[in-house]
Amino acid sequence: MANDLLSVEHVRRTFPRGGGEELLVLDDVNLTLKEGEIVGLLGRSGSGKSTLLRLIAGLSRPQGGSLSYLGAPIEGPVQGVSMVFQGFALFPWLTVLENVQLGLEALNLPPRVMRERALAAIDLIGLDGYESAYPRELSGGMRQRVGFARAVVVHPNILLMDEPFSALDVLTAENLRTDLVELWGNGKLPIKGIILVTHNIEEAVLMCDRVLLFSSNPGRVASEIKIDLPQPRDRTTAQFEQYVDQIYVEMTARRVERLRQQQATSTTGTDMPLTHVSPSQISGLVEALSALADGKADLPDIAYDQELEVDELFPVAEAMQLLRLADVEGGDIKLTHMGKRFADGELNERKEIFSRALVNHVPLAAHIKKVLDERASHSAPKTRFLDELEDHMAEDTAEETLKTVVSWARFAELFSYDDDTAAFSLENPT
Ligand code: ADP
Ligand code: MG
C-alpha cells in the first residue's frame, strides 16, 4: 500500500553454487513496514535474514518478486534506509565524530551542517564527550553506539538493524536496548520505522510491535505475532512470558514437524542438513532433564537454566528429537524411555544407545555405515558423501552436516573419520 514505508512482495533470492546450480535462500518472502512500527525478524542463523536486509537496503537485487520504498520500486541503494551491523564496522583511524560524519558523506551538506548533525546524533545516542575518541578507546557498547549514531545521523525513514546487540555482553546489550526503545518512544529518533533482525526471542518480544518468524531452507516468513504490550516492557510479567512461550511453541512445532517428515522420508539422509551439536552437549541436556520431575521441561525454562540462547538450544533439542532421546512437543521437551536409559547409563551403555539411535534414526549415519560395510576396503573418501550432500545443500551446510555425523559416529564408535587421509572407515571391521 502507498502509506507503507516498505513493502516486500514474493521476494526470491538465490545464490550460484558449483556446477551451475542455484542455492535458494529466500523464497516468496512478504512483509510490510508501516510508519511507527518496530518489526522483528526472528530466525536462526543461515535462514537468510541478512540477505533480506541487503535487498531492502538496495545493496543487492532479488531474482523474483519486488520491493518498494514509499511506494517506489527499490532498484539500487536507497537514501532513506540506514543499516546497523552486528560487527561495529567503524574506521579505526577516524574519531567518533568523523565516523559518524561519514554517514552524511552522500548527502553533500555544507561542512558546518554536517558537523552539527553529527554532534546532535552523538549527543542523542549517549556519546556526548567522546567526539574525539578513537574506536579502540571505546568499549564494545560505546562502539555500537557509534554505529547507531552513524545510521541515525542521515535521518533515515527506515533503520535496519542486523543483530545489533549480539556482540555485546548481557548488561551492555540490555542498556542499549532500553535506551533505544526509550528514544523511539519519546519520538526523539529521526526515524519512521525499524526492522530488527535477531535470533533472540526475548529481545524480539522486548522491542518489537510485530515479530515475523522466519523459517529456514528456504527462508520465508512463516508466521507473524503481534506483541500487544505497552512500552517500556517488563520481562518479568506473565504476559511477557506468554509471548516468549508462544513463540517458542510456534518455532519448535514447525521445525520438529519438518524434522520428523525428513526423517521418515529420507533414504540416504543426504537431503537433511544437520546443525553441529556435540555428543557432550547432548549428554549435558539429557542429564539436566533427567534431574527434573518426569524428565520434562518447558523449553524457555531449560534454556534459561542452562544459559542457552535459542540458536544454541534448538539444535540440541532437535538432535535429541532426531536420535529419539527426547520428544519435543509444543513448548516442552521430555526424555523418552531411551533418553532416560541414556541418562542413567555408564559410558559404554551410552555409546551403545547412541550407536543404535544413529543406525535407526539418522539416515545419513545409516547410509555411511552401509557403504562402508559393503566395500571390501571398509573405507570411503569424504568426497563420496560430500558430493551427495552438495546436491541438496550449500557447501558450508554440507560440511557442517558431515562434521556433525562424524562427531556422533565417533562417540558411538560406529565408524571413524581420519582428517589426514580425508577418509571414512569402520572402527571395527568385521
Ligand atoms: P542469516 O543472516 O539469517 O544468518 P544469511 O542471509 O547471512 O543468513 O545467509 C543465508 C544463506 O545464504 C547462507 O546459506 C549463506 O551461506 C548464503 N549466502 C549469503 N550471502 C551469500 C553470497 N553472497 N554468496 C553465496 N551464498 C550466500
Ligand atoms: Mg545474518
Side-chain angles (χ1 to χ4, degrees):
M1 269 182 288
N3 68 338
D4 290 340
L5 286 175
L6 172 78
S7 155
V8 173
E9 284 175 61
H10 309 300
V11 156
R12 179 185 155 86
R13 181 73 168 103
T14 63
F15 288 111
R17 243 179 23 199
E21 305 216 9
E22 300 273 286
L23 175 68
L24 181 59
V25 172
L26 297 175
D27 192 28
D28 200 16
V29 174
N30 296 283
L31 68 90
T32 57
L33 178 68
K34 294 191 171 44
E35 191 159 336
E37 279 190 317
I38 303 183
V39 169
L41 268 184
L42 184 63
R44 73 196 267 189
S45 61
S47 58
K49 304 180 300 298
S50 296
T51 301
L52 179 58
L53 288 193
R54 290 178 57 77
L55 291 170
I56 292 172
L59 300 174
S60 92
R61 305 282 303 133
Q63 268 84 21
S66 61
L67 300 103
S68 60
Y69 167 69
L70 301 176
I74 296 177
E75 279 161 349
V78 185
Q79 195 72 81
V81 177
S82 288
M83 184 115 85
V84 178
F85 302 94
Q86 174 186 344
F88 315 117
L90 303 180
F91 293 99
W93 59 87
L94 298 181
T95 63
V96 167
L97 180 63
E98 288 162 343
N99 265 290
V100 173
Q101 281 188 356
L102 213 58
L104 292 170
E105 207 101 296
L107 300 188
N108 286 321
L109 300 169
R112 189 184 49 82
V113 179
M114 251 172 82
R115 193 181 152 80
E116 273 168 15
R117 285 258 297 254
L119 287 172
I122 285 170
D123 203 16
L124 180 70
I125 240 71
L127 284 165
D128 207 9
Y130 289 90
E131 294 82 2
S132 50
Y134 287 91
R136 66 166 183 279
E137 302 173 274
L138 303 178
S139 66
M142 294 308 257
R143 276 184 230 165
Q144 189 56 307
R145 282 181 195 261
V146 182
F148 278 109
R150 191 173 59 195
V152 162
V153 73
V154 297
H155 298 182
N157 281 317
I158 301 177
L159 180 65
L160 305 175
M161 303 201 282
D162 197 353
E163 312 209 14
F165 310 106
S166 57
L168 305 174
D169 66 80
V170 175
L171 267 177
T172 306
E174 194 67 357
N175 283 337
L176 206 45
R177 287 183 194 114
T178 314
D179 284 1
L180 213 72
V181 168
E182 193 185 317
L183 288 170
W184 172 253
N186 293 341
K188 288 196 178 150
L189 289 178
I191 292 171
K192 294 194 174 134
I194 296 179
I195 295 183
L196 169 68
V197 160
T198 178
H199 59 253
N200 183 320
I201 294 180
E202 294 200 16
E203 177 176 300
V205 175
L206 188 75
M207 300 186 65
C208 300
D209 300 299
R210 287 189 286 137
V211 179
L212 308 179
L213 303 188
F214 219 63
S215 67
S216 326
N217 292 309
R220 70 159 60 108
V221 178
S223 64
E224 170 180 324
I225 292 164
K226 196 170 171 345
I227 312 292
D228 231 334
L229 297 174
Q231 289 285 11
R233 294 176 183 160
D234 179 353
R235 285 174 186 265
T236 62
T237 62
Q239 295 101 309
F240 191 96
E241 278 181 27
Q242 260 167 23
Y243 278 115
V244 172
D245 264 1
Q246 184 190 348
I247 294 177
Y248 257 102
V249 169
E250 286 204 24
M251 288 179 88
T252 46
R254 210 178 49 237
R255 289 159 54 157
V256 167
E257 181 46 37
R258 179 156 170 185
L259 191 68
R260 287 199 180 110
Q261 271 173 18
Q262 285 178 326
Q263 200 173 17
T265 56
S266 184
T267 48
T268 59
T270 46
D271 52 355
M272 212 176 143
L274 301 174
T275 305
H276 185 64
V277 170
S278 70
S280 61
Q281 285 174 293
I282 295 172
S283 307
L285 193 56
V286 169
E287 282 162 18
L289 285 169
S290 81
L292 302 171
D294 260 357
K296 181 177 162 184
D298 211 31
L299 281 169
D301 290 347
I302 194 98
Y304 185 80
D305 285 347
Q306 302 286 305
E307 295 181 12
L308 291 172
E309 281 203 31
V310 183
D311 245 28
E312 303 163 316
L313 176 72
F314 277 174
V316 187
E318 279 173 10
M320 286 168 60
Q321 168 73 44
L322 185 67
L323 294 160
R324 306 293 308 109
L325 295 173
D327 270 319
V328 179
E329 193 83 65
D332 291 337
I333 180 165
K334 184 176 192 296
L335 288 182
T336 57
H337 176 66
M338 214 32 100
K340 284 183 185 151
R341 277 191 46 199
F342 184 93
D344 296 337
E346 299 285 328
L347 184 60
N348 270 333
E349 194 183 356
R350 287 188 173 191
K351 284 174 182 273
E352 256 169 55
I353 292 173
F354 218 85
S355 174
R356 243 174 299 137
L358 284 179
V359 173
N360 292 331
H361 306 305
V362 181
L364 179 61
H367 173 59
I368 295 174
K369 171 81 162 86
K370 183 160 176 282
V371 169
L372 296 175
D373 276 339
E374 283 169 3
R375 290 196 170 190
S377 63
H378 295 309
S379 73
K382 173 187 181 181
T383 48
R384 161 77 175 70
F385 304 109
L386 200 57
D387 288 349
E388 273 185 284
L389 287 165
E390 282 178 8
D391 286 341
H392 300 279
M393 56 189 85
E395 220 170 291
D396 48 351
T397 314
E399 282 283 355
E400 182 176 349
T401 299
L402 215 49
K403 175 178 151 196
T404 306
V405 89
V406 162
S407 80
W408 292 359
R410 194 171 275 154
F411 174 73
E413 296 179 24
L414 185 64
F415 51 76
S416 62
Y417 174 73
D418 182 343
D419 246 332
D420 294 334
T421 57
F424 285 87
S425 63
L426 285 185
E427 195 87 304
N428 301 301
T430 46

